Amino acid sequence: MKILLIGINAKYIHSNPAIYSLKACTGEYKKNIEIAEYTINQRLEDIRKDIYLRKPNVLAFSCYIWNFSLIAKLLPDLAKLLPEVPVWLGGPEVSYRAEAVLKEFPGVTGIMVGEGEYTFNKVAEFYHNLIDSPNFQNVKGVDVNGIMSIDAGLQAIPGIVTRECNTGVPKVLDLADIPFWYVEGDLLKEEFKNRIVYYETSRGCPFRCSYCLSSIDKSVRFRPMDMIKKELDFFLENKVPQVKFIDRTFNCKHSHAMEIWRYIYEHDNGITNFHFEIAADIIKEDELELLSKLRPGQVQLEIGVQTTNPRTLEEIRRTTDMNKLRENVTRLRSFHNIHLHLDLIVGLPFENKESFIHSFNDVYSMKPDDLQLGFLKVLSGSYIGEKTGDYGIVYESNPPYEVLSTNWISYEDVIGLKRVEEMLEIYHNSGQFVNTIAFLEKQFETPFALYEALAGFYERKGLFVQAPSRSYRYEALLEFSVEADGEHVEIYRELLTYDLYLREKLKSRPAFLSDRKLQEELVWNFYKKEEEEPVLLKDYAEYTAKQAMHLTHLEYFRYPVWNMDSWDGKVCDDYIGAVFFDYKKRNPITTDADIIRLYL
């Protein structure tokens, strides 16, 4: 007997922790469970073919807003190809509208609602006993002697909805009862190689944000700390590159967060990075002190700001001390050891475009490494989903149910903000244009005005339709900068040169960069001198000058591109200094090359 447990992820590097947790909780029936993971970028026919060839006796899909459109296309075909195979769905995308989903998809046997581990275990036990029964005839009917009706058997299992029964929400689990699935076999070396490892130490959330399904379960349950420490040891011993905690608000319990942060600080392996979603305004002083001591790159923090509009915060039932949040983000940034990711949401009630721009500029001024513009998703089961009429929310009919307009923001505004989001991703969140953008910002009244103008430039040039290559994005920014500020053409050219070489050692120099011919003799003399008597290039002592030139880069500048705030406004006729870029050493937060500045 085989139950095929299917996860369809947004990207290859993602994994689906839910299906691994479900399998881990099936105990003696684990041998009957096979996991299949795909991505939404794969061809439908390839996924369908693979599912068919695995010859399952039962199918179970893990359903989310990012994969349900594809699952919806698979279900009718699988019903035709595997008519005798029961199909089960579970996950947040179907749990809160089970009856509607069953009506839409006649081939679906039932839906598991709520936390799935207990229910899935019972369903696995049910099919194991049924299919392995000597009287078994048809998994969708009854056994040969009519002894056990399928429907009668399922009605004894809590947490399922079929066309004949609804057995209610299952009991909540003690997190101590969920096995640690990563220890099984060679999961880390095989299934999770080159993929994000997700980890959960708590369920539920004490906050009541109206757009979030986590607010439904206001209680918070924690995994026992002795188990957590053993599991962290496993990740550390295996030198996992990144562990992403999926706790909804990791620091909602101060003692829990402190003990874990202290443990990873004391047991650092020099490699593993830990990602946490936190509420920045509730961070305490001892937490800040501890976080300041962490190895650069050991931790990254995701902070959901969502809006800085007080009326909107009140309406979405989000309690945030914005002054404290700003103060704590400033403190965290001052440590220079933690990657900070801050979020905003477009389409919240009482936030029009003007208000959102204010929120954008507020959060941008906090100088996060990443500023993500999300667009409201109207989720079934969420409080905001019940208020769409009051708020005039119009949203997509299909997943991910993204906002199109509200009483406060038009669809045209949403389109414009989508373009701004793309510019922000390219020119801010990529971290590839930091110094150029910092100087360019001064030519605009606000940061938002810069990105909105960039979006307008892309629109005029047709670059949203024909997405430019990574290298052309530098050239496009140069052209835009010259349009916006024609007085400093050479400064922008040098800034882009600096930004480009910070990230990579180029095999060939793009034509739009500053002229290098005049530097060639200076560069060669530098490397030749270092070959004869290494001072700055001791790590490259085994290489010839020519070899070292291919592995590193030296660039001469007329302006202090590494710190334009120090520029006195004078036009330079000669080089004021050079920068040596060492690609063996990189900043663990930004991935920029290590630099040595040489003053002339």
Side-chain angles (χ1 to χ4, degrees):
M1 196 275 285
K2 180 194 292 185
I3 297 178
L4 189 61
L5 191 51
I6 299 169
I8 303 179
N9 305 317
K11 297 178 181 178
Y12 171 75
I13 61 168
H14 297 169
S15 59
N16 186 320
I19 58 177
Y20 288 91
S21 185
L22 291 174
K23 180 177 179 178
C25 290
T26 51
E28 63 181 291
Y29 310 110
K30 196 183 302 182
K31 63 183 182 296
N32 298 326
I33 313 301
E34 183 175 307
I35 283 177
E37 284 191 273
Y38 311 98
T39 79
I40 59 174
N41 300 310
Q42 289 179 254
R43 295 193 308 169
L44 181 73
E45 61 189 85
D46 290 338
I47 298 175
R48 182 179 62 215
K49 177 176 65 177
D50 188 67
I51 291 173
Y52 178 84
L53 292 176
R54 288 174 183 260
K55 301 189 181 304
N57 299 109
V58 180
L59 287 174
F61 286 88
S62 180
C63 303
Y64 296 87
I65 56 174
W66 62 79
N67 68 16
F68 195 66
S69 290
L70 192 148
I71 292 172
K73 293 176 183 177
L74 281 169
L75 291 175
D77 290 343
L78 291 173
K80 297 172 189 175
L81 293 168
L82 302 168
E84 300 304 320
V85 174
V87 177
W88 287 86
L89 307 180
E93 176 53 22
V94 296
S95 281
Y96 300 98
R97 54 188 192 97
E99 290 82 3
V101 172
L102 289 171
K103 186 176 181 180
E104 184 178 356
F105 299 99
V108 172
T109 305
I111 291 173
M112 302 183 204
V113 300
E115 288 187 351
E117 285 93 350
Y118 178 79
T119 301
F120 185 77
N121 180 22
K122 292 300 180 183
V123 170
E125 178 184 16
F126 170 80
Y127 281 114
H128 170 80
N129 293 335
L130 178 65
I131 293 174
D132 288 350
S133 165
N135 293 326
F136 171 72
Q137 181 181 35
N138 185 329
V139 77
K140 281 194 170 181
V142 296
D143 68 19
V144 200
N145 301 314
I147 295 172
M148 182 168 64
S149 162
I150 298 294
D151 294 331
L154 292 174
Q155 286 175 12
I157 301 175
I160 66 169
V161 179
T162 69
R163 291 170 183 82
E164 289 75 28
C165 68
N166 183 334
T167 62
V169 178
K171 66 177 183 180
V172 294
L173 292 174
D174 185 332
L175 296 193
D177 294 336
I178 298 179
F180 183 61
W181 61 85
Y182 289 108
V183 297
E184 297 192 8
D186 287 325
L187 276 179
L188 285 181
K189 295 178 182 177
E190 295 175 3
E191 282 86 345
F192 292 93
K193 185 179 180 181
N194 300 321
R195 299 169 74 193
I196 297 172
V197 169
Y198 295 99
Y199 181 57
E200 179 180 50
T201 68
S202 66
R203 282 187 184 176
C205 183
F207 305 112
R208 301 184 305 120
C209 305
S210 65
Y211 51 81
C212 182
L213 291 177
S214 295
S215 64
I216 295 172
D217 182 5
K218 299 179 184 61
S219 63
V220 185
R221 291 160 287 145
F222 296 90
R223 195 164 178 83
M225 190 57 67
D226 60 336
M227 295 179 70
I228 292 172
K229 289 179 178 179
K230 289 178 183 177
E231 290 156 5
L232 290 174
D233 283 340
F234 179 80
F235 293 136
L236 292 165
E237 289 164 9
N238 283 277
K239 295 180 171 58
V240 175
Q242 184 182 58
V243 177
K244 192 164 187 176
F245 281 62
I246 55 176
D247 305 48
R248 295 312 302 155
T249 305
F250 174 75
N251 63 326
C252 65
K253 183 179 178 182
H254 173 256
S255 60
H256 179 83
M258 273 296 287
E259 195 159 355
I260 290 174
W261 282 338
R262 186 180 296 111
Y263 194 81
I264 64 174
Y265 167 66
E266 293 172 351
H267 297 81
D268 181 28
N269 62 7
I271 294 171
T272 304
N273 164 270
F274 296 92
H275 176 105
F276 303 94
E277 293 186 32
I278 68 164
D281 59 317
I282 63 172
I283 300 178
K284 298 182 183 296
E285 183 61 32
D286 57 347
E287 291 173 307
L288 288 167
E289 289 179 8
L290 178 57
L291 289 169
S292 71
K293 300 175 184 177
L294 297 177
R295 163 179 56 85
Q298 188 177 1
V299 158
Q300 60 190 52
L301 300 178
E302 182 173 346
I303 299 165
V305 183
Q306 320 312 9
T307 178
T308 62
N309 182 327
R311 178 69 180 90
T312 300
L313 286 169
E314 179 185 2
E315 187 65 22
I316 62 175
R317 307 189 301 189
R318 187 174 178 84
T319 305
T320 303
D321 183 337
M322 201 56 65
N323 290 329
K324 193 65 178 175
L325 184 148
R326 175 182 288 277
E327 177 187 329
N328 286 340
V329 167
T330 300
R331 288 277 304 280
L332 289 166
R333 186 166 47 79
S334 73
F335 302 154
H336 302 292
N337 65 341
I338 297 172
H339 183 280
L340 295 176
H341 176 125
L342 273 58
D343 297 332
L344 286 171
I345 295 179
V346 174
L348 294 174
F350 294 97
E351 182 133 86
N352 57 20
K353 183 180 177 181
E354 182 181 357
S355 167
F356 181 80
I357 291 172
H358 189 270
S359 292
F360 179 100
N361 290 325
D362 275 350
V363 176
Y364 192 92
S365 70
M366 299 180 199
K367 299 184 178 180
D369 300 287
D370 255 322
L371 172 52
Q372 181 179 328
L373 300 195
F375 289 75
L376 177 67
K377 313 293 190 296
V378 182
L379 305 177
S380 297
S382 67
Y383 178 73
I384 211 166
E386 300 171 6
K387 299 276 287 181
T388 54
D390 295 341
Y391 299 148
I393 296 177
V394 177
Y395 60 96
E396 295 172 329
S397 301
N398 298 308
Y401 313 114
E402 197 168 86
V403 67
L404 299 173
S405 65
T406 72
N407 285 341
W408 300 273
I409 197 164
S410 70
Y411 182 47
E412 186 173 351
D413 290 335
V414 170
I415 292 171
L417 291 172
K418 280 278 186 182
R419 291 171 180 160
V420 169
E421 176 200 23
E422 189 167 342
M423 294 298 94
L424 191 70
E425 286 296 320
I426 292 173
Y427 290 108
H428 179 273
N429 294 346
S430 69
Q432 296 171 359
F433 308 89
V434 172
N435 299 282
T436 309
I437 290 294
F439 188 77
L440 184 58
E441 278 176 20
K442 298 172 183 177
Q443 310 306 319
F444 292 85
E445 189 174 343
T446 66
F448 184 88
L450 163 60
Y451 291 99
E452 189 171 45
L454 251 175
F457 172 81
Y458 260 58
E459 183 70 18
R460 292 197 317 273
K461 297 291 183 178
L463 298 178
F464 283 119
V465 178
Q466 298 180 347
S469 65
R470 185 164 55 90
S471 60
Y472 183 74
R473 291 170 180 172
Y474 288 86
E475 191 169 346
L477 184 58
L478 176 61
E479 186 179 348
F480 171 77
S481 301
V482 172
E483 276 191 15
D485 177 21
E487 293 182 13
H488 300 119
V489 177
E490 291 309 311
I491 290 179
Y492 290 115
R493 205 182 301 277
E494 286 207 345
L495 283 164
L496 283 166
T497 302
Y498 181 61
D499 280 333
L500 189 52
Y501 280 107
L502 271 173
R503 280 303 175 96
E504 57 185 307
K505 176 72 176 83
L506 302 173
K507 290 183 178 180
S508 58
R509 190 179 181 86
F512 67 87
L513 294 187
S514 53
D515 185 16
R516 186 170 166 81
K517 288 182 180 179
L518 298 175
Q519 301 185 24
E520 290 176 354
E521 185 177 352
L522 292 170
V523 171
W524 174 249
N525 289 340
F526 168 82
Y527 281 99
K528 197 63 181 170
K529 184 178 179 181
E530 287 289 326
E531 180 185 28
E532 295 166 359
E533 187 178 347
V535 177
L536 298 177
L537 301 190
K538 290 180 180 178
D539 289 346
Y540 295 86
E542 62 194 271
Y543 298 102
T544 66
K546 192 172 183 180
Q547 290 171 330
M549 284 178 66
H550 286 299
L551 295 170
T552 64
H553 184 75
L554 183 70
E555 186 79 28
Y556 283 81
F557 294 98
R558 300 182 187 278
Y559 301 93
V561 290
W562 48 85
N563 180 15
M564 286 302 293
D565 288 338
S566 67
W567 183 48
D568 59 9
K570 294 179 182 179
V571 177
C572 303
D573 296 323
D574 204 354
Y575 301 120
I576 64 166
V579 176
F580 173 74
F581 299 87
D582 188 350
Y583 301 103
K584 273 188 178 181
K585 303 172 186 175
R586 289 186 179 270
N587 184 306
I589 307 297
T590 65
T591 72
D592 287 346
D594 189 42
I595 64 167
I596 300 173
R597 293 195 295 272
L598 311 176
Y599 293 95
L600 301 181

